[in-house]
Amino acid sequence: MKKFNSKVDWWILLILMIVTVFLVNQIIASSASYSLNENIPYMILYSFFIFFIWMPVFNTNYTIDKGKLVIKCVFIKWVIDINSINRIEETINPFSAPALSLHRLKIYYIKNDEIKTILISPRHKESFLKSLQI
Protein backbone atom coordinates (compact mmCIF):
# COMPACT_ATOMS: atom_id res chain seq x y z
CA MET A 1 0.00 0.00 0.00
CA LYS A 2 1.33 3.40 -1.01
CA LYS A 3 -0.20 6.67 0.12
CA PHE A 4 0.36 9.99 -1.62
CA ASN A 5 -0.69 13.34 -0.22
CA SER A 6 -2.05 16.07 -2.43
CA LYS A 7 0.24 18.84 -3.55
CA VAL A 8 -0.95 22.19 -2.14
CA ASP A 9 -0.40 25.39 -4.12
CA TRP A 10 1.00 28.37 -2.23
CA TRP A 11 -1.92 30.60 -3.13
CA ILE A 12 -4.42 28.15 -1.61
CA LEU A 13 -2.44 28.19 1.62
CA LEU A 14 -2.33 31.98 1.48
CA ILE A 15 -6.12 32.23 1.11
CA LEU A 16 -6.65 29.78 3.99
CA MET A 17 -4.23 31.72 6.20
CA ILE A 18 -5.93 35.04 5.44
CA VAL A 19 -9.36 33.62 6.25
CA THR A 20 -7.99 32.02 9.44
CA VAL A 21 -6.38 35.28 10.58
CA PHE A 22 -9.62 37.14 9.88
CA LEU A 23 -11.67 34.64 11.92
CA VAL A 24 -9.20 34.62 14.82
CA ASN A 25 -9.31 38.42 14.75
CA GLN A 26 -13.12 38.22 14.94
CA ILE A 27 -12.87 35.93 17.97
CA ILE A 28 -10.48 38.33 19.71
CA ALA A 29 -12.58 41.39 18.83
CA SER A 30 -15.80 39.78 20.03
CA SER A 31 -14.18 38.68 23.31
CA ALA A 32 -13.32 42.33 23.99
CA SER A 33 -16.88 43.47 23.24
CA TYR A 34 -18.97 40.72 24.83
CA SER A 35 -18.95 38.67 27.99
CA LEU A 36 -17.61 35.13 27.88
CA ASN A 37 -21.10 33.60 27.88
CA GLU A 38 -22.13 35.71 24.90
CA ASN A 39 -18.88 34.98 23.07
CA ILE A 40 -18.85 31.15 23.36
CA PRO A 41 -21.25 30.49 20.44
CA TYR A 42 -19.15 32.71 18.17
CA MET A 43 -15.93 31.03 19.28
CA ILE A 44 -17.41 27.62 18.57
CA LEU A 45 -18.77 28.69 15.19
CA TYR A 46 -15.52 30.35 14.07
CA SER A 47 -13.42 27.44 15.37
CA PHE A 48 -15.59 24.96 13.50
CA PHE A 49 -15.26 27.01 10.31
CA ILE A 50 -11.45 27.21 10.69
CA PHE A 51 -11.30 23.44 11.21
CA PHE A 52 -13.56 22.80 8.21
CA ILE A 53 -11.61 24.99 5.74
CA TRP A 54 -8.30 23.35 6.72
CA MET A 55 -9.62 19.75 6.53
CA PRO A 56 -8.89 19.29 2.80
CA VAL A 57 -5.24 20.26 3.31
CA PHE A 58 -4.71 17.43 5.79
CA ASN A 59 -7.24 14.95 4.45
CA THR A 60 -6.80 14.86 0.65
CA ASN A 61 -4.77 11.83 -0.36
CA TYR A 62 -4.46 9.06 -2.91
CA THR A 63 -3.80 5.45 -1.91
CA ILE A 64 -2.76 2.62 -4.22
CA ASP A 65 -3.55 -0.76 -2.69
CA LYS A 66 -4.52 -4.19 -4.02
CA GLY A 67 -5.18 -3.04 -7.59
CA LYS A 68 -7.29 -0.08 -6.51
CA LEU A 69 -6.72 3.67 -6.50
CA VAL A 70 -8.54 5.18 -3.53
CA ILE A 71 -8.99 8.95 -3.63
CA LYS A 72 -10.06 10.65 -0.40
CA CYS A 73 -11.01 14.27 0.09
CA VAL A 74 -12.63 15.21 3.41
CA PHE A 75 -15.80 13.04 3.53
CA ILE A 76 -15.80 11.91 -0.12
CA LYS A 77 -14.09 8.74 -1.37
CA TRP A 78 -13.62 7.40 -4.90
CA VAL A 79 -12.41 3.86 -5.58
CA ILE A 80 -11.03 3.19 -9.06
CA ASP A 81 -9.85 -0.18 -10.32
CA ILE A 82 -6.36 0.40 -11.67
CA ASN A 83 -7.06 -1.97 -14.59
CA SER A 84 -9.93 0.31 -15.69
CA ILE A 85 -7.60 3.29 -16.17
CA ASN A 86 -7.18 4.07 -19.87
CA ARG A 87 -5.01 7.14 -19.87
CA ILE A 88 -3.42 9.72 -17.58
CA GLU A 89 -2.43 13.17 -18.75
CA GLU A 90 -1.06 16.27 -17.08
CA THR A 91 -3.34 19.29 -17.01
CA ILE A 92 -3.79 22.69 -15.44
CA ASN A 93 -7.54 22.47 -15.07
CA PRO A 94 -9.21 24.78 -12.51
CA PHE A 95 -12.44 22.78 -12.14
CA SER A 96 -13.41 21.46 -8.74
CA ALA A 97 -11.63 18.24 -7.90
CA PRO A 98 -10.00 16.33 -5.03
CA ALA A 99 -6.80 18.26 -5.76
CA LEU A 100 -5.23 21.22 -3.98
CA SER A 101 -2.98 22.28 -6.82
CA LEU A 102 -3.62 23.36 -10.39
CA HIS A 103 -0.80 21.06 -11.55
CA ARG A 104 -2.96 18.00 -11.88
CA LEU A 105 -3.24 14.60 -13.42
CA LYS A 106 -6.41 13.83 -15.35
CA ILE A 107 -7.25 10.15 -15.02
CA TYR A 108 -9.51 8.54 -17.62
CA TYR A 109 -11.13 5.31 -16.46
CA ILE A 110 -14.08 3.09 -17.36
CA LYS A 111 -16.94 2.61 -14.92
CA ASN A 112 -20.32 1.11 -15.84
CA ASP A 113 -19.29 1.06 -19.53
CA GLU A 114 -18.71 4.83 -19.53
CA ILE A 115 -15.46 6.75 -19.73
CA LYS A 116 -15.13 8.91 -16.64
CA THR A 117 -12.45 11.34 -15.51
CA ILE A 118 -11.12 12.62 -12.23
CA LEU A 119 -8.49 15.25 -11.48
CA ILE A 120 -5.90 14.69 -8.78
CA SER A 121 -2.66 16.39 -7.75
CA PRO A 122 -0.24 14.03 -6.01
CA ARG A 123 2.75 15.77 -4.45
CA HIS A 124 5.20 13.35 -6.10
CA LYS A 125 3.76 12.72 -9.57
CA GLU A 126 6.59 10.56 -10.89
CA SER A 127 6.51 8.21 -7.92
CA PHE A 128 2.71 8.08 -8.09
CA LEU A 129 2.75 7.17 -11.79
CA LYS A 130 5.39 4.49 -11.23
CA SER A 131 3.29 2.98 -8.43
CA LEU A 132 0.26 2.83 -10.72
CA GLN A 133 2.21 0.86 -13.33
CA ILE A 134 3.23 -1.91 -10.92
Side-chain angles (χ1 to χ4, degrees), residues 5-73:
N5 291 324
S6 178
K7 179 181 178 182
V8 183
D9 281 344
W10 66 269
W11 58 271
I12 290 176
L13 288 176
L14 180 64
I15 291 170
L16 291 176
M17 284 189 248
I18 289 170
V19 170
T20 301
V21 167
F22 173 77
L23 292 172
V24 169
N25 188 39
Q26 291 297 106
I27 292 171
I28 293 168
S30 65
S31 67
S33 302
Y34 301 105
S35 69
L36 183 60
N37 287 340
E38 294 171 325
N39 197 31
I40 287 178
Y42 294 108
M43 291 174 59
I44 292 170
L45 180 66
Y46 291 147
S47 299
F48 176 75
F49 191 71
I50 291 169
F51 174 77
F52 189 73
I53 65 171
W54 281 94
M55 272 186 74
V57 172
F58 300 106
N59 194 348
T60 301
N61 59 64
Y62 321 108
T63 305
I64 299 170
D65 188 29
K66 298 177 184 170
K68 305 278 185 202
L69 170 60
V70 180
I71 302 166
K72 292 181 186 176
C73 182

Side-chain angles (χ1 to χ4, degrees), residues 77-89:
K77 179 173 147 180
W78 295 263
V79 178
I80 299 170
D81 185 0
I82 291 176
N83 294 326
S84 71
I85 296 174
N86 288 348
R87 182 177 71 191
I88 300 174
E89 61 186 35

